[in-house]
Amino acid sequence: MIKDKQVLANVVRAHKAGVIMTGVCSGVTLLSAAGPTRGRPCTTHSASKAELAAQGGKVINARVVDDGDLITSGGITSGLDLGLWLVTRELGADISIQVEAAMEYEQRGVVWRRP
């Protein structure tokens, strides 16, 4: 997909339209190929961090990295943490705790946010 010009154009179009871009695991490399991670704090699966850095991302060692309109996460299970972080960010901690209980999963690890 990172070589599909139409897919990359759609990512760019969505980003320019103000869509909050999220990426999980090595899927962050698709965002990187399209450009939204360049020069910005982000993360991905440990096996893809060097590639992400080579493409211009400022790799942060955290499960979830929230840089406003760009939110990325590490390995595949970090995607659960990204989803719960979005719930916390948009709807509050009380709702996030309810979602955690329903999922029988506890959010873990670090969420890095721009100061």
Side-chain angles (χ1 to χ4, degrees), residues 12-99:
V12 170
R13 188 176 308 113
H15 186 242
K16 286 182 179 179
V19 172
I20 295 173
M21 306 302 293
T22 63
V24 176
C25 196
S26 59
V28 176
T29 59
L30 176 62
L31 295 178
S32 182
T37 63
R38 283 192 200 112
R40 297 186 65 185
C42 53
T43 195
T44 188
H45 188 275
S46 59
S48 298
K49 286 182 178 180
E51 179 182 354
L52 184 59
Q55 292 176 332
K58 292 183 179 180
V59 177
I60 304 290
N61 288 318
R63 285 183 66 81
V64 177
V65 174
D66 181 346
D67 192 37
D69 67 347
L70 174 67
I71 306 169
T72 55
S73 66
I76 193 68
T77 60
S78 298
L80 293 168
D81 298 311
L82 185 152
L84 286 166
W85 169 246
L86 281 172
V87 172
T88 302
R89 185 177 115 161
E90 300 298 322
L91 302 173
D94 290 340
I95 300 296
S96 184
I97 290 169
Q98 292 174 29
V99 172

